[in-house]
mmCIF file of all heavy atoms in Angstrom:
data_model
loop_
_atom_site.group_PDB
_atom_site.id
_atom_site.type_symbol
_atom_site.label_atom_id
_atom_site.label_comp_id
_atom_site.label_asym_id
_atom_site.label_seq_id
_atom_site.Cartn_x
_atom_site.Cartn_y
_atom_site.Cartn_z
ATOM 1 N N LEU A 9 115.779 109.006 79.890
ATOM 2 C CA LEU A 9 115.199 109.125 81.223
ATOM 3 C C LEU A 9 116.273 109.053 82.307
ATOM 4 O O LEU A 9 117.384 108.562 82.067
ATOM 5 C CB LEU A 9 114.188 108.001 81.448
ATOM 6 C CG LEU A 9 113.010 107.945 80.484
ATOM 7 C CD1 LEU A 9 112.161 106.708 80.762
ATOM 8 C CD2 LEU A 9 112.169 109.216 80.596
ATOM 9 N N LYS A 10 115.927 109.501 83.489
ATOM 10 C CA LYS A 10 116.793 109.380 84.649
ATOM 11 C C LYS A 10 116.177 108.384 85.626
ATOM 12 O O LYS A 10 114.959 108.186 85.634
ATOM 13 C CB LYS A 10 116.978 110.738 85.320
ATOM 14 C CG LYS A 10 117.781 111.725 84.495
ATOM 15 C CD LYS A 10 118.018 113.017 85.271
ATOM 16 C CE LYS A 10 118.882 113.983 84.459
ATOM 17 N NZ LYS A 10 119.139 115.253 85.216
ATOM 18 N N PRO A 11 116.989 107.751 86.447
ATOM 19 C CA PRO A 11 116.431 106.786 87.404
ATOM 20 C C PRO A 11 115.609 107.479 88.473
ATOM 21 O O PRO A 11 115.836 108.658 88.793
ATOM 22 C CB PRO A 11 117.680 106.135 88.005
ATOM 23 C CG PRO A 11 118.747 107.176 87.863
ATOM 24 C CD PRO A 11 118.454 107.872 86.568
ATOM 25 N N SER A 12 114.659 106.751 89.010
ATOM 26 C CA SER A 12 113.842 107.245 90.117
ATOM 27 C C SER A 12 114.163 106.423 91.356
ATOM 28 O O SER A 12 114.965 105.478 91.321
ATOM 29 C CB SER A 12 112.359 107.115 89.781
ATOM 30 O OG SER A 12 111.953 105.752 89.858
ATOM 31 N N ALA A 13 113.498 106.743 92.449
ATOM 32 C CA ALA A 13 113.687 105.977 93.680
ATOM 33 C C ALA A 13 113.265 104.523 93.501
ATOM 34 O O ALA A 13 113.742 103.643 94.220
ATOM 35 C CB ALA A 13 112.900 106.621 94.821
ATOM 36 N N LEU A 14 112.394 104.254 92.528
ATOM 37 C CA LEU A 14 111.987 102.864 92.275
ATOM 38 C C LEU A 14 113.160 102.018 91.798
ATOM 39 O O LEU A 14 113.163 100.793 91.983
ATOM 40 C CB LEU A 14 110.864 102.809 91.236
ATOM 41 C CG LEU A 14 109.526 103.415 91.650
ATOM 42 C CD1 LEU A 14 108.569 103.449 90.469
ATOM 43 C CD2 LEU A 14 108.913 102.652 92.816
ATOM 44 N N HIS A 15 114.162 102.652 91.165
ATOM 45 C CA HIS A 15 115.327 101.915 90.685
ATOM 46 C C HIS A 15 116.334 101.624 91.790
ATOM 47 O O HIS A 15 117.238 100.802 91.604
ATOM 48 C CB HIS A 15 116.026 102.685 89.561
ATOM 49 C CG HIS A 15 115.210 102.806 88.312
ATOM 50 N ND1 HIS A 15 114.397 103.887 88.063
ATOM 51 C CD2 HIS A 15 115.078 101.966 87.255
ATOM 52 C CE1 HIS A 15 113.795 103.717 86.890
ATOM 53 N NE2 HIS A 15 114.182 102.570 86.384
ATOM 54 N N ASN A 16 116.203 102.318 92.914
ATOM 55 C CA ASN A 16 117.104 102.060 94.032
ATOM 56 C C ASN A 16 116.999 100.601 94.433
ATOM 57 O O ASN A 16 115.901 100.048 94.524
ATOM 58 C CB ASN A 16 116.724 102.962 95.217
ATOM 59 C CG ASN A 16 117.724 102.892 96.363
ATOM 60 O OD1 ASN A 16 117.932 101.844 96.958
ATOM 61 N ND2 ASN A 16 118.320 104.026 96.674
ATOM 62 N N ASN A 17 118.138 99.966 94.697
ATOM 63 C CA ASN A 17 118.117 98.530 95.002
ATOM 64 C C ASN A 17 117.324 98.224 96.273
ATOM 65 O O ASN A 17 116.934 97.083 96.495
ATOM 66 C CB ASN A 17 119.547 97.990 95.103
ATOM 67 C CG ASN A 17 120.262 98.416 96.363
ATOM 68 O OD1 ASN A 17 120.329 97.678 97.340
ATOM 69 N ND2 ASN A 17 120.822 99.616 96.356
ATOM 70 N N CYS A 18 117.080 99.231 97.106
ATOM 71 C CA CYS A 18 116.330 99.044 98.349
ATOM 72 C C CYS A 18 114.876 99.510 98.250
ATOM 73 O O CYS A 18 114.190 99.619 99.278
ATOM 74 C CB CYS A 18 117.009 99.794 99.490
ATOM 75 S SG CYS A 18 118.653 99.183 99.902
ATOM 76 N N SER A 19 114.382 99.806 97.050
ATOM 77 C CA SER A 19 113.033 100.368 96.945
ATOM 78 C C SER A 19 111.960 99.422 97.457
ATOM 79 O O SER A 19 110.933 99.866 97.986
ATOM 80 C CB SER A 19 112.730 100.791 95.505
ATOM 81 O OG SER A 19 112.651 99.666 94.634
ATOM 82 N N GLY A 20 112.158 98.124 97.321
ATOM 83 C CA GLY A 20 111.174 97.173 97.833
ATOM 84 C C GLY A 20 111.104 97.186 99.345
ATOM 85 O O GLY A 20 110.017 97.142 99.936
ATOM 86 N N LYS A 21 112.268 97.241 99.983
ATOM 87 C CA LYS A 21 112.301 97.336 101.440
ATOM 88 C C LYS A 21 111.606 98.610 101.901
ATOM 89 O O LYS A 21 110.790 98.587 102.839
ATOM 90 C CB LYS A 21 113.745 97.325 101.931
ATOM 91 C CG LYS A 21 113.904 97.515 103.431
ATOM 92 C CD LYS A 21 115.366 97.491 103.855
ATOM 93 C CE LYS A 21 116.098 98.760 103.423
ATOM 94 N NZ LYS A 21 117.497 98.783 103.946
ATOM 95 N N HIS A 22 111.903 99.719 101.236
ATOM 96 C CA HIS A 22 111.300 100.991 101.618
ATOM 97 C C HIS A 22 109.803 101.014 101.330
ATOM 98 O O HIS A 22 109.031 101.589 102.111
ATOM 99 C CB HIS A 22 112.006 102.144 100.904
ATOM 100 C CG HIS A 22 113.321 102.494 101.536
ATOM 101 N ND1 HIS A 22 113.541 103.683 102.189
ATOM 102 C CD2 HIS A 22 114.480 101.793 101.629
ATOM 103 C CE1 HIS A 22 114.784 103.708 102.645
ATOM 104 N NE2 HIS A 22 115.374 102.574 102.311
ATOM 105 N N ALA A 23 109.381 100.397 100.234
ATOM 106 C CA ALA A 23 107.942 100.294 99.976
ATOM 107 C C ALA A 23 107.267 99.502 101.083
ATOM 108 O O ALA A 23 106.148 99.820 101.501
ATOM 109 C CB ALA A 23 107.697 99.647 98.618
ATOM 110 N N GLY A 24 107.954 98.477 101.572
ATOM 111 C CA GLY A 24 107.429 97.722 102.712
ATOM 112 C C GLY A 24 107.311 98.576 103.958
ATOM 113 O O GLY A 24 106.335 98.469 104.715
ATOM 114 N N PHE A 25 108.304 99.447 104.189
ATOM 115 C CA PHE A 25 108.229 100.349 105.341
ATOM 116 C C PHE A 25 107.022 101.287 105.228
ATOM 117 O O PHE A 25 106.346 101.563 106.228
ATOM 118 C CB PHE A 25 109.507 101.185 105.441
ATOM 119 C CG PHE A 25 110.754 100.412 105.775
ATOM 120 C CD1 PHE A 25 111.999 100.980 105.575
ATOM 121 C CD2 PHE A 25 110.701 99.134 106.305
ATOM 122 C CE1 PHE A 25 113.163 100.291 105.886
ATOM 123 C CE2 PHE A 25 111.863 98.419 106.618
ATOM 124 C CZ PHE A 25 113.098 99.012 106.405
ATOM 125 N N VAL A 26 106.777 101.777 104.019
ATOM 126 C CA VAL A 26 105.627 102.670 103.807
ATOM 127 C C VAL A 26 104.324 101.915 104.082
ATOM 128 O O VAL A 26 103.416 102.434 104.760
ATOM 129 C CB VAL A 26 105.647 103.245 102.377
ATOM 130 C CG1 VAL A 26 104.346 103.993 102.074
ATOM 131 C CG2 VAL A 26 106.846 104.166 102.187
ATOM 132 N N CYS A 27 104.226 100.700 103.578
ATOM 133 C CA CYS A 27 103.031 99.886 103.840
ATOM 134 C C CYS A 27 102.849 99.665 105.340
ATOM 135 O O CYS A 27 101.725 99.745 105.860
ATOM 136 C CB CYS A 27 103.143 98.537 103.126
ATOM 137 S SG CYS A 27 102.987 98.612 101.327
ATOM 138 N N LEU A 28 103.936 99.372 106.036
ATOM 139 C CA LEU A 28 103.877 99.136 107.479
ATOM 140 C C LEU A 28 103.411 100.388 108.208
ATOM 141 O O LEU A 28 102.553 100.317 109.108
ATOM 142 C CB LEU A 28 105.252 98.702 107.986
ATOM 143 C CG LEU A 28 105.416 98.562 109.504
ATOM 144 C CD1 LEU A 28 104.459 97.505 110.063
ATOM 145 C CD2 LEU A 28 106.862 98.207 109.853
ATOM 146 N N ALA A 29 103.971 101.540 107.836
ATOM 147 C CA ALA A 29 103.596 102.794 108.500
ATOM 148 C C ALA A 29 102.098 103.062 108.347
ATOM 149 O O ALA A 29 101.399 103.369 109.328
ATOM 150 C CB ALA A 29 104.406 103.952 107.920
ATOM 151 N N ILE A 30 101.593 102.932 107.134
ATOM 152 C CA ILE A 30 100.184 103.243 106.876
ATOM 153 C C ILE A 30 99.272 102.244 107.575
ATOM 154 O O ILE A 30 98.258 102.615 108.183
ATOM 155 C CB ILE A 30 99.923 103.283 105.359
ATOM 156 C CG1 ILE A 30 100.661 104.475 104.748
ATOM 157 C CG2 ILE A 30 98.431 103.358 105.059
ATOM 158 C CD1 ILE A 30 100.654 104.509 103.246
ATOM 159 N N ALA A 31 99.640 100.960 107.536
ATOM 160 C CA ALA A 31 98.803 99.932 108.160
ATOM 161 C C ALA A 31 98.731 100.091 109.671
ATOM 162 O O ALA A 31 97.745 99.679 110.300
ATOM 163 C CB ALA A 31 99.332 98.544 107.804
ATOM 164 N N THR A 32 99.765 100.699 110.273
ATOM 165 C CA THR A 32 99.785 100.874 111.725
ATOM 166 C C THR A 32 99.376 102.283 112.138
ATOM 167 O O THR A 32 99.556 102.679 113.295
ATOM 168 C CB THR A 32 101.174 100.545 112.286
ATOM 169 O OG1 THR A 32 102.180 101.289 111.583
ATOM 170 C CG2 THR A 32 101.472 99.060 112.146
ATOM 171 N N GLY A 33 98.837 103.048 111.183
ATOM 172 C CA GLY A 33 98.266 104.343 111.495
ATOM 173 C C GLY A 33 99.243 105.487 111.630
ATOM 174 O O GLY A 33 98.950 106.484 112.293
ATOM 175 N N HIS A 34 100.414 105.365 110.977
ATOM 176 C CA HIS A 34 101.430 106.414 111.083
ATOM 177 C C HIS A 34 101.671 107.084 109.734
ATOM 178 O O HIS A 34 101.592 106.437 108.680
ATOM 179 C CB HIS A 34 102.745 105.833 111.596
ATOM 180 C CG HIS A 34 102.656 105.230 112.956
ATOM 181 N ND1 HIS A 34 102.427 105.964 114.085
ATOM 182 C CD2 HIS A 34 102.760 103.931 113.363
ATOM 183 C CE1 HIS A 34 102.385 105.168 115.143
ATOM 184 N NE2 HIS A 34 102.586 103.928 114.726
ATOM 185 N N ASP A 35 101.950 108.361 109.776
ATOM 186 C CA ASP A 35 102.365 109.086 108.581
ATOM 187 C C ASP A 35 103.747 108.561 108.183
ATOM 188 O O ASP A 35 104.677 108.591 108.995
ATOM 189 C CB ASP A 35 102.444 110.582 108.893
ATOM 190 C CG ASP A 35 102.818 111.424 107.675
ATOM 191 O OD1 ASP A 35 103.225 110.856 106.647
ATOM 192 O OD2 ASP A 35 102.726 112.669 107.777
ATOM 193 N N PRO A 36 103.906 108.063 106.961
ATOM 194 C CA PRO A 36 105.210 107.513 106.586
ATOM 195 C C PRO A 36 106.316 108.555 106.444
ATOM 196 O O PRO A 36 107.495 108.189 106.404
ATOM 197 C CB PRO A 36 104.934 106.810 105.256
ATOM 198 C CG PRO A 36 103.718 107.464 104.712
ATOM 199 C CD PRO A 36 102.900 107.871 105.893
ATOM 200 N N LYS A 37 105.976 109.810 106.352
ATOM 201 C CA LYS A 37 106.995 110.844 106.172
ATOM 202 C C LYS A 37 108.041 110.756 107.288
ATOM 203 O O LYS A 37 107.716 110.709 108.462
ATOM 204 C CB LYS A 37 106.368 112.233 106.163
ATOM 205 C CG LYS A 37 107.370 113.353 105.861
ATOM 206 C CD LYS A 37 106.678 114.691 105.760
ATOM 207 C CE LYS A 37 107.679 115.825 105.530
ATOM 208 N NZ LYS A 37 108.479 115.627 104.298
ATOM 209 N N GLY A 38 109.304 110.702 106.872
ATOM 210 C CA GLY A 38 110.395 110.619 107.835
ATOM 211 C C GLY A 38 110.637 109.229 108.375
ATOM 212 O O GLY A 38 111.347 109.063 109.372
ATOM 213 N N TYR A 39 110.103 108.199 107.709
ATOM 214 C CA TYR A 39 110.220 106.833 108.226
ATOM 215 C C TYR A 39 111.663 106.346 108.332
ATOM 216 O O TYR A 39 111.944 105.373 109.027
ATOM 217 C CB TYR A 39 109.409 105.852 107.366
ATOM 218 C CG TYR A 39 109.930 105.667 105.957
ATOM 219 C CD1 TYR A 39 110.962 104.776 105.683
ATOM 220 C CD2 TYR A 39 109.391 106.390 104.887
ATOM 221 C CE1 TYR A 39 111.444 104.616 104.391
ATOM 222 C CE2 TYR A 39 109.864 106.234 103.609
ATOM 223 C CZ TYR A 39 110.896 105.348 103.353
ATOM 224 O OH TYR A 39 111.378 105.197 102.071
ATOM 225 N N ILE A 40 112.592 106.994 107.647
ATOM 226 C CA ILE A 40 113.993 106.556 107.708
ATOM 227 C C ILE A 40 114.687 106.999 108.994
ATOM 228 O O ILE A 40 115.795 106.529 109.297
ATOM 229 C CB ILE A 40 114.794 107.079 106.499
ATOM 230 C CG1 ILE A 40 114.817 108.613 106.475
ATOM 231 C CG2 ILE A 40 114.258 106.499 105.196
ATOM 232 C CD1 ILE A 40 115.733 109.192 105.406
#
């Protein structure tokens, strides 16, 4: 197998950003 974005050491932080975007009514696309 090859690594995915989940293996990135920052995936938890980014998952948190996605949760924040959705909870505040924003499309997470382009959150970076």
Side-chain angles (χ1 to χ4, degrees):
L9 300 175
K10 292 184 177 181
S12 74
L14 294 173
H15 294 93
N16 188 298
N17 73 98
C18 296
S19 67
K21 176 180 72 175
H22 282 248
F25 293 164
V26 171
C27 289
L28 173 61
I30 293 171
T32 53
H34 298 293
D35 182 349
K37 185 176 177 59
Y39 67 84
I40 62 173

